[in-house]
Amino acid sequence: MTKTKGRAEDTSPLVHQCLLPLSTHTVNHLADLLRRHLKAIRSRWRIPPPGRIAVIVLALRHDQRLADMVGGNNVSESTVRRWRDELVALLAARAPCLDRALQRVAKTGGEVILIDGTLIPTQRRTGKANRRNYSGKHHHHGLHFLALTDERGRLIWISAARPGRTHDITAARHDHILAHLRAAGLGTLADLGFRGLDNDVLDPVIVTGFHASRTHKLTPGQKDANRVLADGRAPAEHGFAHLKNWRAVTKLLTDPARATRLLRALLVLTNLEVNR
């Protein structure tokens, strides 16, 4: 039996192109943002132009692996990671703060906003320190985020990342949502997770539905009120759906600082796509 030491004719990796469901408006906005940043830090030059770097970073839409993107762009994995972190930080810095987001809604004639919380799943990690990231409601590890949307379901603000076991009302109290809403003169529609946040009976700012229990059954009028409230809150789910279309949020790390920057950067990109 003879052994032949044959070598493959071509061992170079294959490279293919993929379609990003994004507009050129978003790419141009990100490229202009990078150009202004490079001018501000007096960066001499970079091999690919800002537009090309913007397209590479926008592969976050498909959660493309960094090691897979280096082949067709002739750059190293560390370089792509540095570009991604740089642009994510620039976009996150442009995310509106809570006061400005509410003032913008009030200036445009809005009267009601929608508030809701969501859990972004993360990888499960061992150790006692990660137990607080487990959500008993969703039976999964993750990070908790609060988000505000307008009546049309457009995201206007997102909170910082908190442990997955955080309750909606606890996160709202930590961010002083009630005080900010009263200062802006706005009301909000919320689900039962925010019951007890606003105890003002005469002039409530946060409107929630009626809660049924074993000893207290809902009347037909209360059921109709809950149905109307659910219809009014439906656009909030659309806002979260637009945000979660970015597959990068499906594999978040448990670092709250990085997760906050990423979600706020995706908020800016989502608004660029939805509001164009």
Side-chain angles (χ1 to χ4, degrees):
M1 180 177 179
T2 59
K3 295 182 179 180
T4 59
K5 296 182 179 180
R7 188 174 63 178
E9 296 180 358
D10 188 5
T11 58
S12 61
L14 298 177
V15 179
H16 72 282
Q17 296 179 347
C18 63
L19 176 66
L20 292 176
L22 299 172
S23 63
T24 55
H25 171 71
T26 301
V27 178
N28 294 334
H29 179 86
L30 196 57
D32 293 339
L33 184 63
L34 180 58
R35 289 189 187 96
R36 292 193 297 268
H37 173 68
L38 295 178
K39 185 177 180 180
I41 64 176
R42 297 182 179 181
S43 178
R44 296 180 59 186
W45 59 276
R46 293 186 180 180
I47 296 178
R52 183 60 181 170
I53 296 177
V55 173
I56 296 174
V57 174
L58 286 175
L60 289 170
R61 184 75 173 187
H62 289 320
D63 191 28
Q64 197 73 22
R65 293 177 54 191
L66 299 182
D68 295 337
M69 291 190 295
V70 301
N73 298 286
N74 297 322
V75 292
S76 63
E77 182 177 347
S78 60
T79 301
V80 176
R81 181 181 294 106
R82 185 172 65 252
W83 290 345
R84 181 200 61 187
D85 295 342
E86 184 180 39
L87 285 177
V88 165
L90 291 175
L91 289 170
R94 298 179 65 86
C97 62
L98 181 56
D99 288 334
R100 292 184 179 180
L102 295 178
Q103 291 174 4
R104 186 177 301 174
V105 174
K107 288 181 179 179
T108 56
E111 297 180 354
V112 178
I113 61 173
L114 311 175
I115 183 173
D116 201 359
T118 187
L119 183 77
I120 303 297
T122 60
Q123 298 177 357
R124 179 179 178 180
R125 296 179 181 271
T126 59
K128 295 182 179 180
N130 194 45
R131 290 181 180 177
R132 61 178 186 170
N133 292 327
Y134 181 78
S135 172
K137 175 182 177 180
H138 299 87
H139 303 287
H140 200 283
H141 286 76
L143 295 174
H144 180 273
F145 290 88
L146 274 183
L148 299 179
T149 60
D150 59 11
E151 299 177 8
R152 300 174 59 184
R154 294 176 298 187
L155 287 167
I156 61 175
W157 175 79
I158 194 167
S159 70
R162 294 188 175 88
R165 68 181 183 185
T166 305
H167 198 274
D168 290 342
I169 192 173
T170 303
R173 286 172 176 168
H174 187 276
D175 288 323
H176 307 286
I177 296 294
L178 182 59
H180 289 290
L181 288 172
R182 291 191 182 278
L186 297 173
T188 182
L189 304 180
D191 58 13
L192 294 178
F194 295 89
R195 290 181 70 250
L197 181 60
D198 186 4
N199 295 321
D200 192 343
V201 181
L202 299 178
D203 186 20
V205 174
I206 300 178
V207 179
T208 59
F210 295 95
H211 177 65
S213 63
R214 293 182 179 179
T215 59
H216 176 72
K217 302 299 181 181
L218 296 182
T219 64
Q222 291 174 338
K223 292 181 180 179
D224 292 339
N226 284 351
R227 193 175 299 109
V228 172
L229 181 63
D231 292 339
R233 291 188 56 257
E237 301 298 333
H238 297 300
F240 278 129
H242 288 307
L243 186 64
K244 292 180 179 180
N245 277 338
W246 297 86
R247 298 182 185 176
V249 302
T250 60
K251 297 180 182 179
L252 281 184
L253 299 179
T254 54
D255 185 0
R258 289 187 178 182
T260 300
R261 285 195 299 267
L262 177 60
L263 265 293
R264 289 178 175 173
L266 296 182
L267 169 64
V268 176
L269 291 175
T270 300
N271 288 335
L272 287 174
E273 282 294 306
V274 175
N275 303 332
R276 59 186 172 90

